[in-house]
Amino acid sequence: RKGGYICSMASSLDMALEALEKRKHHIVVVDMRLPVYGIGEQIIRKIRSRPSFSNLVTLAVCPAIPRWCEEPSVRPYLDMGFSRRYLENHDRGACLNEIIMIDGGEVMAGIKLSVANTLFQLLQDNRESLDITDADGICSYVNASFEKLTGYKSEDLVGNSTDVLVNEEKTGPGLLETMERCKAEGKAWEGVVITNRKGGLEPIPLEMKILPVFDGEADNVPSHYVTSRREASSSSCKNCTNKALNSTPRRMSNGRVRTESSNTSLNSGVVNQNSMSRRLSKQVDAPIIKILSSLRSIQDSNPNLPPNLIENVMAMLRSSELYNPGSNSLTEDPEALGFLDGLMEGRGTRPSITSDTIISHRESTVAFNNTMMMQTLPILIKENLKRRKEWDYDIFELEKLSNRRPLFYLGFDILVEFGILNLFKIEETILRNWLSTIESHYRVSNTYHNSTHAADVLQAAAYFCRSHCMEKCLDPTDFLALLIASICHDIDHPGRTNAFLCNVGHDLAVLYNDSAVLESHHSAHTFKVTCHTDQKNINIFQHLDADTFKSIRKSIISMILATDMTQHFEYYNKFLAVNLKSSSMEESENSSTTSIHVPISQENKTLVLRMAMKCADISNPSRAVPLARAWAHRIVLEYREQIAEEKSRDLPQSLPPFDDIPKSQVLFIHLFAKDLLTAYNEFLEFGHLTDQLNDTFNYWDSFDEENPYPHTMSLPTTSTVT
């Protein structure tokens, strides 16, 4: 009782059994110092005869042994059924410590064993085929449903490898390689695998879901894998088909949101006057912006200028191909035009998409809830995905629920919502296989540039796509290109910056001539993984015609390359330059309203998509403060790891030390995020995003020497990039 345990005293066999039945004790202490009565032996043998008491820990208290006597064997006590022997000790502390040791050892082990027996009974009675293998692929357990489905009995597989089940020839090496990579990285995996059956029966396609099991939270290496198998539906098995579904997913569109604060500065409101924001007040304007503004002033002050002269000059300056004369200005000969277009990067017109081809994602009846995957989703993941259309969606919750596979679940949900199954004419299985493969190429060792970041960027891009302004500018294939680019924009990221790769002479830096090294690798790796000839069961583009595929591929590459931060100000100022005219016109018509509107042209479509990709990529500061803080910690940890490696290898320091996290975030928001996100949010009419950006800025800006940041972060251990 001194240790807080519930105790029962019994002086007879009946009293002891009654106490055990009533109180459900875990430890039984029997006084064996007076064995002449025989009660102790009767009690222990009676206890051991009942299966319900099989996990009890029984302790025999025996007389103390004089120092001059040899200690007798404990075998008689074990034969009676006792678990342990305890020599008489009048020190109450010693007695209590013995009970505590038993409670933390044998009792806990017995409870776990009891739970394990219960779980195994549930597994045995489960109607779904289940098997358990160790880290080396050796089978430890199969249930009755497994035996019925495959024909293999427990004695056939337990202790042997499960490789005999996989038909490598029909499944394909690419999918199996992805599966093994996911297992090695401790990720869950699911897909359709052609499975052999015992007795020479025809192999059948089975939907497999592999879940890793870890011995401890700190251990990143799985000790076992639990695999569920079920017969694949007919739609899952059609990896190559031209049959399209009759409709596309239906989704709700966010209403226009515009607040009075959408145009406010980040420095508005009450902020710390000693903070960084007081010293950051200059607007970053490119020369082109000043030139266009000056031309506008000249036009306004000189009404006698020839009509449209200034307008034509401004239109030429806004062009993204300022130094390209254009083939039409050189010749009107059709054959000569074709020759020029062929030489100039294979440039051609974008294939037109007829009304028969375009199926709006707003008019679909192939809802995510009707897909086979949704029907088998865990309840917690299903509830989490219902909140995916909210800006403050918690991607970290999905990362935890999905065992670090947020991109697979969120990617499937969003891509189906935007009609990929219809527009790309693919089956659900191909989409699942592709997402699983893409996510497996994100490195789980990265604290920031991992699949969770990709899923977060995807969610932001999808949020942008639901705005009325985006729906007016873009068509469904544009949306899908943006979403695919978001999913793949950091694939196979090594957790190091471009500058680091150039400084160490990395193979990627050599391959891409030290220019946009990572961005070029991400875009190339995307299509290498997706369009590999041996992996048609993951190629989501396989049913697109050549022109459509070329157009979408070009768009995806363009958006991924736009994430190169060295081009940040160029894209921002181009977007701002395109909008000067339309903003000025709207202001003249209604001076009380300022609304950016991009004229709909192919060039401006490309610019809108690039801006969406860039804004989604750096959208962390515009999230709720707890989410923004978590992302800030992750990026700082990754950067500090690079700094540690640079120091250990005596390399040039390509990054600031990041000793002051709030200061680094204030600088990033002011120099990069503020102007870009504010301009794009104004175009989308999403004033609430700018408001949240202001809140995050003010949060970081509130810390200084008198009010230090309370969260400390230690420098990570050095690891070498490969």
Side-chain angles (χ1 to χ4, degrees), residues 556-609:
I556 292 171
I557 293 174
S558 170
M559 284 182 275
I560 295 178
L561 292 179
T563 60
D564 181 7
M565 291 302 291
T566 62
Q567 305 297 318
H568 174 84
F569 294 104
E570 178 181 347
Y571 287 118
Y572 164 70
N573 285 298
K574 280 183 178 179
F575 185 74
L576 214 59
V578 166
N579 287 286
L580 282 178
K581 175 183 177 181
S582 55
S583 296
S584 177
M585 291 176 61
E586 289 180 7
E587 287 176 355
S588 64
E589 294 175 0
N590 185 0
S591 59
S592 64
T593 303
T594 301
S595 178
I596 294 180
H597 174 69
V598 177
I600 307 302
S601 67
Q602 186 55 51
E603 181 178 347
N604 285 336
K605 275 189 177 183
T606 301
L607 185 57
V608 167
L609 287 170

Side-chain angles (χ1 to χ4, degrees), residues 165-182:
L165 297 170
V166 180
N167 191 308
E168 296 185 10
E169 180 180 355
K170 294 185 178 181
T171 300
L175 192 63
L176 296 178
E177 180 183 346
T178 301
M179 179 177 68
E180 292 301 325
R181 185 186 300 113
C182 287

Side-chain angles (χ1 to χ4, degrees), residues 85-99:
R85 182 201 66 176
Y86 180 73
L87 296 178
E88 182 180 16
N89 191 328
H90 297 288
D91 187 337
R92 288 194 299 174
C95 298
L96 180 58
N97 287 336
E98 181 72 12
I99 296 296

Side-chain angles (χ1 to χ4, degrees), residues 158-387:
V158 173
N160 299 314
S161 174
T162 57
D163 292 344
V164 67
L165 297 170
V166 180
N167 191 308
E168 296 185 10
E169 180 180 355
K170 294 185 178 181
T171 300
L175 192 63
L176 296 178
E177 180 183 346
T178 301
M179 179 177 68
E180 292 301 325
R181 185 186 300 113
C182 287
K183 291 172 63 177
E185 294 178 356
K187 294 181 179 179
W189 180 89
E190 64 179 286
V192 177
V193 174
I194 307 301
T195 306
N196 296 323
R197 292 188 292 172
K198 188 178 180 181
L201 297 175
E202 183 70 18
I204 57 174
L206 296 180
E207 288 191 29
M208 286 179 53
K209 181 181 292 185
I210 302 176
L211 298 175
V213 179
F214 301 87
D215 281 340
E217 294 182 1
D219 189 2
N220 291 325
V221 180
S223 61
H224 292 82
Y225 300 92
V226 179
T227 304
S228 66
R229 307 169 196 263
R230 58 190 303 181
E231 291 190 35
S233 63
S234 57
S235 61
S236 302
C237 304
K238 296 177 182 177
N239 291 332
C240 296
T241 178
N242 292 321
K243 182 180 179 181
L245 300 179
N246 295 324
S247 51
T248 52
R250 178 178 302 166
R251 66 179 180 86
M252 296 298 294
S253 176
N254 283 10
R256 294 191 177 194
V257 181
R258 183 172 180 83
T259 65
E260 293 298 321
S261 60
S262 62
N263 295 322
T264 59
S265 167
L266 284 171
N267 296 329
S268 61
V270 179
V271 296
N272 183 2
Q273 296 302 311
N274 297 322
S275 65
M276 179 65 85
S277 64
R278 194 168 57 87
R279 303 190 298 274
L280 300 174
S281 58
K282 290 187 177 181
Q283 178 72 23
V284 182
D285 283 337
I288 186 64
I289 302 300
K290 298 178 181 178
I291 292 172
L292 292 173
S293 298
S294 299
L295 287 172
R296 177 64 64 189
S297 299
I298 292 173
Q299 185 182 41
D300 295 340
S301 60
N302 294 274
N304 296 326
L305 287 173
N308 300 326
L309 174 62
I310 299 297
E311 295 291 344
N312 292 335
V313 173
M314 294 177 68
M316 286 186 285
L317 290 174
R318 291 191 190 104
S319 172
S320 62
E321 296 183 341
L322 189 60
Y323 300 100
N324 186 354
S327 56
N328 289 330
S329 64
L330 298 175
T331 179
E332 295 180 358
D333 186 338
E335 292 185 4
L337 287 172
F339 179 77
L340 283 171
D341 287 341
L343 288 179
M344 298 170 70
E345 301 180 353
R347 199 177 61 229
T349 59
R350 178 173 177 166
S352 60
I353 303 177
T354 65
S355 58
D356 293 334
T357 306
I358 296 180
I359 306 174
S360 172
H361 53 272
R362 295 171 58 85
E363 300 173 352
S364 169
T365 57
V366 184
F368 179 64
N369 289 342
N370 295 332
T371 61
M372 181 171 56
M373 177 175 161
M374 186 60 179
Q375 297 170 7
T376 59
L377 271 184
I379 295 177
L380 293 178
I381 292 181
K382 191 181 300 184
E383 291 298 318
N384 174 275
L385 291 175
K386 290 180 180 179
R387 302 188 294 273

Side-chain angles (χ1 to χ4, degrees), residues 143-160:
N143 69 350
S145 297
F146 176 94
E147 296 178 345
K148 183 178 180 180
L149 183 63
T150 65
Y152 286 96
K153 301 296 182 182
S154 177
E155 54 269 21
D156 297 329
L157 287 179
V158 173
N160 299 314

